[in-house]
Amino acid sequence: MAARQPDEPARAAAEAMMIRNPVPWPNDARCAVAFTLDMDAESILQLAHPQRAHALVSAASMLRYGPEIALPRILDTYRHYGIRQTFFVPGWCAERYPHAIEAMLRDGHEVAAHGYLHEHPNELSDHEERHFLMRSLAALQTVTGQKPAGWRAPLYNFSHRSAELLLEAGIAYDASLMGDDVPYLLQSASGELLELPSHWGMDDWPPFMHSVELDFQMPIQSPATAWESWWQEFEAMWEYGGLWVPVWHPFLSGRLARWRTTHEMIGRMMQRGRVWFAPMRDIAAHVRRCIAEGSWLPRVERQLPPAADAQR
Ligand SMILES: [Zn+2]
């Protein structure tokens, strides 16, 4: 038996079928990339401390850094590279920061829905979930002049009835779940909702968030350490045809040293080539087209109907 070359294990991994149904991405791209930034601003403070939020001035200043300081910087980077991406925005934040939303739209980015005051759907009643969903969509529509195409549940707190409600509201895709490396369909009583998944490993709270007021204290990582893991995620998605979706926040990832690193890393992704940078709504539309013409078959996951949950 011939001696193994040192790079053989890596080659063997590259040839393995790690993703069983990779998506045929446009223009022969190896993977799709969508930087999704959730512009939560002070909604999370208002939700956590409705009586005291006005007095928590330092925490509020940390969150306001997102729309006021980080957002223009993020938009500059996207303009520099000529890419369009997606922002998930709670309705309350769109009403409070209309200038930030206008700036996103002016550059052709997507503004998608993310609750009204960042409330958690899986802690609400049927009536409340429906109420806040409709309120969040109406607020975004008023500020943007368009109906949002996509949704991400605040803190990934998608409920057992969310798929049905989102379909009824005409939402084209969800971005709250973590069940695959590629898009999949969630089957509900109202039809099939397209899921564009991500996971906690792509979120910037674990490496960057530290706040006593928001009860989330992590040892803060350097941008290089955070990106070491995100880059490995990217390389794997590039290798096997996946979907790379960071779940970030302007007030965290838009901080100076962190965003400078991201600016550099987008350049590296472009040098690598065969990467499709697109807003989530374009990825959703492409996937739907592939399904309609039969060039790609999605995995279908069945959601438990609400009645089954109530009987427990
Ligand atoms: Zn959020």
Side-chain angles (χ1 to χ4, degrees), residues 32-292:
V33 161
F35 288 87
T36 64
L37 281 131
D38 298 358
M39 199 193 82
D40 295 336
E42 306 105 300
S43 65
I44 51 178
L45 195 62
Q46 294 284 338
L47 186 75
H49 303 289
Q51 314 303 329
R52 288 200 306 136
H54 67 281
L56 301 172
V57 178
S58 180
S61 74
M62 172 185 77
L63 298 166
R64 285 178 68 87
Y65 184 97
E68 300 293 6
I69 309 300
L71 183 73
R73 175 180 295 154
I74 292 164
L75 295 179
D76 278 351
T77 291
Y78 291 166
R79 213 175 299 124
H80 173 85
Y81 289 114
I83 58 176
R84 287 176 304 120
Q85 298 290 286
T86 298
F87 294 91
F88 288 93
V89 183
W92 183 88
C93 298
E95 290 169 349
R96 201 171 170 95
Y97 295 102
H99 57 282
I101 308 300
E102 279 161 30
M104 294 168 188
L105 294 174
R106 209 165 31 238
D107 286 359
H109 301 294
E110 174 187 11
V111 178
H114 190 48
Y116 181 72
L117 191 65
H118 212 270
E119 63 285 337
H120 303 161
N122 60 7
E123 293 166 7
L124 302 176
S125 69
D126 286 23
H127 169 75
E128 287 167 338
E129 179 170 3
R130 190 182 297 270
H131 166 81
F132 281 110
L133 171 63
M134 298 322 283
R135 191 166 171 195
S136 72
L137 300 181
L140 277 200
Q141 177 139 18
T142 302
V143 178
T144 66
Q146 300 158 15
K147 201 175 154 203
W151 162 270
R152 172 174 288 143
L155 205 60
Y156 308 108
N157 279 328
F158 196 87
S159 88
H160 58 287
R161 53 180 112 75
S162 298
E164 221 174 311
L165 293 178
L166 293 172
L167 284 165
E168 282 170 19
I171 290 292
Y173 71 87
D174 174 70
S176 316
L177 304 187
M178 310 190 183
D180 211 327
D181 310 300
V182 289
Y184 60 104
L185 295 177
L186 281 176
Q187 199 178 63
S188 81
S190 316
E192 287 171 339
L193 180 67
L194 179 62
E195 178 62 37
L196 302 181
S198 188
H199 63 102
W200 269 110
M202 297 295 295
D203 196 296
D204 61 0
W205 274 54
F208 295 151
M209 180 57 165
H210 181 96
S211 164
V212 176
E213 294 89 342
L214 290 161
D215 197 24
F216 197 93
Q217 294 171 70
M218 297 294 287
I220 293 178
Q221 308 291 316
S222 72
T225 303
W227 257 103
E228 197 184 317
S229 149
W230 293 330
W231 185 258
Q232 287 187 21
E233 298 277 357
F234 166 72
E235 287 197 313
M237 291 302 190
W238 191 92
E239 192 83 55
Y240 301 110
L243 173 65
W244 190 83
V245 180
V247 181
W248 292 353
H249 304 79
F251 82 92
L252 292 174
S253 283
R255 283 271 167 189
L256 191 60
R258 297 167 187 168
W259 196 257
R260 181 183 62 163
T261 305
T262 290
H263 186 103
E264 204 182 302
M265 297 312 275
I266 296 176
R268 284 198 196 184
M269 288 176 161
M270 294 202 152
Q271 274 174 1
R272 165 74 57 107
R274 297 178 70 188
V275 177
W276 185 39
F277 291 89
M280 297 284 265
R281 64 170 176 229
D282 292 11
I283 293 174
H286 170 75
V287 168
R288 279 289 182 195
R289 246 187 331 267
C290 290
I291 295 171

Side-chain angles (χ1 to χ4, degrees), residues 1-12:
M1 198 175 155
R4 287 188 163 230
Q5 297 298 315
D7 63 346
E8 199 163 318
R11 199 165 49 239

